[in-house]
Amino acid sequence: MAYTAPKESYSGKVFEVTIGAERPVTFGGENCLPFHSFEGSIPHRPVIAYEIQDVPPDDWPETVKAVYNGVSNDPVSWARFCEEKLNAKAIALRLIGTHPDRENRSSEEARKVVSDVLSAIKVPLIILGSNHVEKDSEVLVACAEAAKDKNCIIGKAQEGNYKTITAAAMAHAHKLIAMSELDINLSKQLNILITQMGFPKERLITDPMCSALGYGIEYTYSVMERIRLAALTQNDQVMQPPMLGDVGTYVWKVKETQASEEELPQWGSLKERSIAWEAVTAVAMLMAGAELLIMRHPEAVQAVEKFIDELIE
Amino acid sequence: MLIIGEKLSIIAKRVREAMLKRDKGPIQEIAKAQWQAGAGMIDANIGPAEDGGESLMEWMVTTIQEAVPLPVCLDTTNYKAVEAGLKVHNNQWGRPLINSTSNDPERFPMLELAAKYNCQIIGLTVGKGGLPADAGERAAIAAEIMARAMEYGVPLEDLYLDPLVLQIATSQDHALKVIEAIKLFKEMNDPPMKTVVGLSNISNGCPKELRPVINKYYFLMLLDAGLDAAIADPKEMAEAMEERPLFTAVIAGKEVEDRKKAEVIKKTVDIIMGRSLYAHSYLDM
Amino acid sequence: MALTGVEIFKLLPNTNCKKCGHPTCLAFAMKLAQRQASLDQCPDVSEEAKRILGEASAPPIRPVTFGVGDRALKMGEEMVLFRHEKKFVNPTVFAVEIKDTEPEEKINKTINDVLTSEIERVGQRLRIDAIFLNNASGDPQRFETLVKTVSSKAPQVPLILSTTNPQAAEAGLKVVADKRPILFGANKDNLEAMVSLAKTYKVPLGVTGNGLEEVSGLTEKIKSMGVEDIIIDSGAKSARQIIEHNTLIRRSALKKNFKPLGYPVINLCQREDQLLEALIGALGVMKYSSIVVLSSAEKWKNLVLFTLRQNIYTDPQVPMQVEQKIYKIGEPKPESPLLITTNFSLTYFIVSGEIENSKVPSRLAVMDCEGLSVLTAWAAGKFTAAKIAQFIKESGIENEISHRELIIPGYVAILSGAIEEKLPGWKVTVGPREANGIPAFLRQRMS
C-alpha cells in the first residue's frame, strides 16, 4: 500500500488584522489549522503583547513583579521599558486601577494614562478595561476617543456592555475584542450582535476566555479548536476573526506561580516553574488557534517566540 | 405517535403553586387543554419531591384523571411517589408510564415497580459516569437497560428507550447524535423497540420565540427517524404535523410557495445537522 | 470498516449465555462496537464471525503495551483527532533519557529523579513513566552495563532500549527482556536483525524512518516478518515537523484506515534549553505523541507536563472531581469563615484560588455532587438543602469552628431558608454569584 499524505483544504480562512499606526503589526490570515503549514498558508506569525497596568503591580507574584522593578510605578516608563528593553511588538495596557473594588480610578484618569502611553511608544497599543462590565463601558468609551487615529485594539466587549464599546470602537476606527465565557455558541452570538451594529467582522478579535494550565485550560483549548474548525470547514464568517489568548492575567493568579519550593518541594523551583506555567499556557493557546497573546514574563515570552520559530521554520 | 403532554411540570410557576396549595383548578384546566390539543397521555412532573412526594403524586394522578380520560406519565425520581401514583391510577384508558429508569443503580428499583404493577417504563440511556458521547454509547446503554428489564420481568414491548435530548444551545453536536440513536434503537429488537424523547430539552436556553420553531422541526426529523412518542407541548406537535408536508418538501429540495418559512426550516435543519454553528440569532444570518 | 452494534449482533450466537460477562449478546455486541470489549470473551463465536469481526474491529491505531505489572504502559487505541470529539484514550508516556556515555553520578541522579518524580493531582498519581536508555557510545558492553545499572536501581520502571546496533540490543535484551522493554532503533539498514531480536525476545519494536513514506514501508516489512507491536519514529525533530508528521499519521490511520501508520508514535523532544524542551513536550502531549522523550526530570518541568497531560486527556463528557472534604485554605482559626461548594474540580480550583487570593484564611466544604458545577448540581437534585445539611452534620465541622454560619454560592440563594430549617442553630449567608467576587466579599466581612 503506497502512502499518500492526507492533506486537507478548507473553504474558509481567518481574517487578517493589522494594528498600530507607526509600527503596525499584522496577525491572522491563515487558511489552515494552527501551524499546519504543510497544507496551507500562514502569512503572519502570532503576535505577543506585553502586559502593563495603569497602577503598580503590587498584587503580581514576586517572580514577575521583580522584572519590572523601577519602571512599573509609572505606566509610561513601564511601556517604554517593554518597547525598548524587551523589544515588545505590541503593548497591552490593562486599566485594572479603574475597577470599583480596586483603586476605582475615573475614566478621566484612564484617558490620561492612555494618552501619555500613546505618546511614549511607537508599537501598537491594546487598551483593556478592568473586566467590570459597567465601568468598562465608560472607561473604554473615553479611552477609545483618546486613542483615535492610532488603530488600537479596544477590549473587551461582553454581552452586558458591547453596545457602547462597539460604538466607540467603530467611531474611532479601532479593532475590538469580543469576549464570552468558554461558550462557542455565545461567542458566535456576541460576534453576530456586534456585526449587526455595523461593526465590520474583519476588525474583530474573538476572546473565548483564557484559562490557566491546571485551571480549566482544556475548556479554552477545546472551545478554540471548535471555533477554528467552524471558521475553516463551515466557512462561518462570523467565526473567522483571529483569536486572543489573554494568558498572563490568568496564569499569575494560580498557586503554582506563587508557592515556594520550601512550601512544596515536590513542585521544584518557583522561578522556572512559574515561567514555564505561563509559557505552556501560551503554547496551548497557540496550538488551539490564538494569533494574539498577552503575556507578562519576558523569559516566558522569549521561550514562546523560540517555539514559534520552530513552528514556522 | 403518542404525544405525552408536558405542561404539568413543577418547573412552571403556576403549576408549582397549584401543587403546593392542592388547587385542582389550574391542573385540570391544563390537562384538558392538552387532551384537546391531541395528547394521548399526561405527564405529571413533581420533581425530586423530597418531602411529601407520595401524597402529591396521588393527588396529581387522581386530579388529572378526574378531568381527562387519559393515562398518566409519572415523572419523578422518588420511588415511593411513583408507587403511590401507580396504586391510584385508573387504567381504563391505558396503562401508566414510569418516567424513568436509567443505567444509574439508583434508578433500577423503578423496574421493580413496572413489573409489579404491569405498567410501561421509560429507559433513559444515561448512566452514572457522565453523559453518553454519541449514538453508539447510547445504544450500548440501551442494550444494558433492555437486558435488565428482561431480568426484572418487564417485557421489552413495555420499555420506551429515551436517548437523552440535550440543549442545542450548549451541546449542538448531540442533536444529530440523538437522531442517529433513535434509528439504532429501532434496530435493536424485533419487533422494533419503542422510543420516546423529552422534546423541549432541545430548545432549553434558547430565546423564547425560537423554542417552538426548534421544537417542531426537531420533532419532525425525529419522526422521520422512527420516533414513537414525545413528551412535548401537544399544541406545538399539532402544528408540527400540519407543517409536515411543507417540511418534507423543503428538505427534499423542492421549491415551495412560502419562501420565508422555507428559509426558517432550512436554517433550523442546518443547525440540527451541525452544518452551521448555533447562535441565538441563527435565523438572522 | 467498523461495523455497527447491530451488524455485530447478527454475527453472534444470540444465546444470552452471559459467558462473556455481559447480560445479553446484544449488550456484548454494543460494547464490541464501542471497542470496549474483545471478541475472545465469547467462547461460542463462529470462525466466520471471527474473521469478519477481526478485520473490522481492529482499532485503527494498534494498542501496544510495554513494561509489566501495574506499571505497564498502554499506548494506541486513539479514535479521534480532536479531544472534543471523544476523549483521548491513552495518556502520553513521559520517558527520561540516560546515555551510556554519561558519568555515573549523572546516571544515578537521573534514576533518582525518576524514582522521586511522583506527585498527586486531583486524585491521580502522576510520574515520569519510563526511562529511555541511549546507546550513545555504540558499544554493546557499555550499553549492557547501563541496562544492568538502571534495571537494578529502578526495577519497576518500564524501559526503552535505544540502539541501532543489534549486538548492543541483544546484550541489553538479555538483561531485561522479561520486563518487556521497547527495542527502539530499527531502521532500513538493520531491519532483519532487529526484527529477529524483537521476535526472539517478544518485545515491541520501535522503528525510525526518514519521513512517512519510508516509515510506512518499514512497518509493512516488519509486520510481514511477524512483528506486530510496533512504535514509529518518523524522524520529526522540529516543532513544525512534529505537528506535520503526527497529524498526517493520525489522519492516515483514522480517516484512510491506512494500516502501515496505525501505530503509536514516539517523539524525541530533548532540547538544551529546558524551558523549550518543556514546550516541545507539551506540543507532543497536545499533538498525538504516545511517547515523549525528555533529557531530564526536573520537578518543575514534570509538574507542568503532568498537569497539561492530565488536562488534555480529561474526558470531555466526564467532569473531574475532587474528594469530598472540608479543605483548609491558609491557616483558618475557629472563627474563620466556612464556605460550601460542589466537587467539580474546576469549581474547586477556582473557588479555592479566589479564597487564597483574598488572603482570608477559611474553610471550604466541598460536597460530592458527582463532579457537577453548582447550578447543574442543583438542577439535578444533587446540591439540595437536605444533602447540604446532612453533609455539614456528618462532617463534624461543628467541633472545629466557633460559629454556625455557612456561606453558600450566590446562585443557590434560593436554598437558604430550607438549609436553615434543616440545620437548626445555623445561619446561612449568601455569598457572591461569581467566584471572582469572593476576595472582595471575604475582605469586606473582616472590616
Side-chain angles (χ1 to χ4, degrees), chain A residues 57 73 164 167 235:
Chain A
N73 49 309
T164 42
N235 198 13

Side-chain angles (χ1 to χ4, degrees), chain A residues 184-185 188-189 192 196 234 236, chain B residues 169 274 277-278 280-281 284:
Chain A
I184 189 175
N185 307 102
K188 178 169 177 172
Q189 180 66 7
I192 292 175
Q196 278 176 344
Q234 295 178 351
D236 192 337
Chain B
L277 206 53
Y278 174 82
H280 296 317
S281 300
D284 295 344

Side-chain angles (χ1 to χ4, degrees), chain B residues 10-25:
Chain B
I10 197 166
I11 298 175
K13 189 162 176 223
R14 189 175 172 229
V15 174
R16 183 168 61 245
E17 283 171 7
M19 284 185 186
L20 217 58
K21 296 188 216 141
R22 298 293 197 267
D23 177 4
K24 286 189 183 183

Side-chain angles (χ1 to χ4, degrees), chain A residues 94-151:
Chain A
R94 194 179 315 266
L95 299 162
I96 192 71
T98 61
H99 197 289
D101 290 347
R102 294 267 316 236
E103 291 81 354
N104 198 20
R105 293 165 124 239
S106 66
S107 329
E108 270 317 297
E109 291 174 281
R111 240 187 114 91
K112 176 152 199 319
V113 173
V114 167
S115 302
D116 291 347
V117 168
L118 279 171
S119 308
I121 60 173
K122 302 186 175 64
V123 294
L125 185 66
I126 301 165
I127 303 168
L128 302 173
S130 66
N131 202 26
H132 183 273
V133 170
E134 284 85 30
K135 188 69 179 282
D136 278 359
S137 240
E138 344 157 2
V139 167
L140 293 175
V141 165
C143 294
E145 209 233 338
K148 69 176 176 215
D149 299 330
K150 294 288 193 163
N151 191 19

Side-chain angles (χ1 to χ4, degrees), chain B residues 9-173:
Chain B
S9 166
I10 197 166
I11 298 175
K13 189 162 176 223
R14 189 175 172 229
V15 174
R16 183 168 61 245
E17 283 171 7
M19 284 185 186
L20 217 58
K21 296 188 216 141
R22 298 293 197 267
D23 177 4
K24 286 189 183 183
I27 305 293
Q28 293 185 329
E29 185 195 308
I30 294 170
K32 279 199 196 119
Q34 296 191 100
W35 170 50
Q36 274 150 8
M41 187 180 279
I42 304 290
D43 186 272
N45 181 355
I46 64 170
E50 280 185 316
D51 300 313
E54 290 149 82
S55 71
L56 178 54
M57 187 59 96
E58 271 175 25
W59 180 80
M60 280 297 281
V61 170
T62 47
T63 302
I64 291 169
Q65 291 193 307
E66 222 177 61
V68 297
L70 292 176
V72 177
C73 180
L74 307 165
D75 193 347
T76 177
T77 48
N78 181 337
Y79 172 95
K80 292 212 176 101
V82 172
E83 183 159 34
L86 289 173
K87 284 195 172 127
V88 300
H89 189 272
N90 182 344
N91 294 347
Q92 73 174 125
W93 307 295
R95 289 183 295 154
L97 177 62
I98 297 176
N99 186 357
S100 55
T101 184
S102 74
N103 232 18
D104 180 345
E106 278 179 43
R107 304 276 168 264
F108 294 176
M110 293 295 189
L111 285 167
E112 274 171 35
L113 291 175
K116 181 173 174 192
Y117 290 87
N118 183 29
C119 61
Q120 300 176 298
I121 184 164
I122 295 175
L124 195 59
T125 58
V126 67
K128 237 183 137 91
L131 296 172
D134 56 17
E137 280 189 24
R138 287 170 165 86
I141 296 174
E144 284 178 29
I145 295 176
M146 286 162 66
R148 192 172 306 113
M150 293 194 290
E151 228 182 288
Y152 275 74
V154 177
L156 291 182
E157 302 85 73
D158 285 348
L159 176 63
Y160 280 80
L161 294 171
D162 181 339
L164 190 64
V165 170
L166 298 174
Q167 301 176 228
I168 205 165
T170 55
S171 304
Q172 184 180 0
D173 50 334

Side-chain angles (χ1 to χ4, degrees), chain C residues 250-269:
Chain C
R250 184 153 301 186
R251 273 190 202 157
S252 301
L254 296 184
K255 292 188 170 186
K256 299 275 181 81
N257 204 28
F258 185 67
K259 296 284 183 205
L261 289 177
Y263 297 103
V265 167
I266 179 170
N267 289 123
L268 306 174
C269 298

Side-chain angles (χ1 to χ4, degrees), chain C residues 278-290:
Chain C
L279 300 185
I280 303 294
L283 175 64
V285 169
M286 290 183 278
K287 288 290 164 186
Y288 321 137
S289 291
S290 312

Side-chain angles (χ1 to χ4, degrees), chain A residues 1-8 10 33-39 101 131 181-182 212-219 221-222 225-226 229 253-256 258 261 265-269 272-273 275-277 279-280 283-285 287 299-300 303-304 306-307 310-313, chain C residues 81-84 118-119 121 212-213 216 220 237-241 243-244 247-249 251-252 255-261 271 273 275-276 278-280 282-283 286-287 299-300 303-304 307-308 311-312 314 319-320 344 346 349-350 353-354 356-357 359 434 436 440 443:
Chain A
M1 241 187 285
Y3 166 73
T4 49
K7 295 189 184 175
E8 291 177 5
Y10 308 99
L33 288 169
F35 305 104
H36 285 47
S37 48
F38 57 92
E39 59 188 13
D101 290 347
N131 202 26
E181 299 194 353
L182 293 178
L213 172 66
Y215 292 80
I217 198 176
E218 68 272 27
Y219 293 94
Y221 185 84
S222 287
E225 287 204 301
R226 292 171 64 202
L229 284 165
K253 279 207 299 228
V254 310
K255 194 168 178 177
E256 284 79 351
Q258 297 172 64
E261 192 170 4
Q266 66 272 34
W267 281 11
S269 140
E272 289 166 292
R273 178 194 342 131
I275 291 168
W277 216 263
V280 169
V283 157
M285 298 297 97
M287 296 321 301
E299 285 178 53
V304 175
K306 264 200 229 168
F307 179 77
E310 267 197 45
L311 281 173
I312 63 172
E313 60 176 16
Chain C
L81 282 154
F82 300 101
R83 62 175 297 280
H84 59 262
E118 187 174 290
I119 57 149
R121 198 167 197 276
L212 299 183
E213 205 172 324
S216 311
E220 279 186 297
K237 279 292 177 301
S238 67
R240 187 183 66 72
Q241 289 170 327
I243 292 190
E244 177 178 344
T247 301
L248 290 173
I249 289 168
R251 273 190 202 157
S252 301
K255 292 188 170 186
K256 299 275 181 81
N257 204 28
F258 185 67
K259 296 284 183 205
L261 289 177
R271 293 284 188 283
D273 175 341
L275 180 51
L276 184 59
L279 300 185
I280 303 294
L283 175 64
M286 290 183 278
K287 288 290 164 186
K299 295 207 178 307
W300 63 264
L303 184 67
V304 161
T307 306
L308 182 68
N311 292 161
I312 296 292
T314 296
M320 292 213 81
F344 175 37
L346 198 58
F349 280 125
I350 292 175
E354 291 294 0
E356 281 195 44
N357 286 339
K359 307 275 190 277
E434 298 292 340
N436 59 23
R443 282 196 294 256

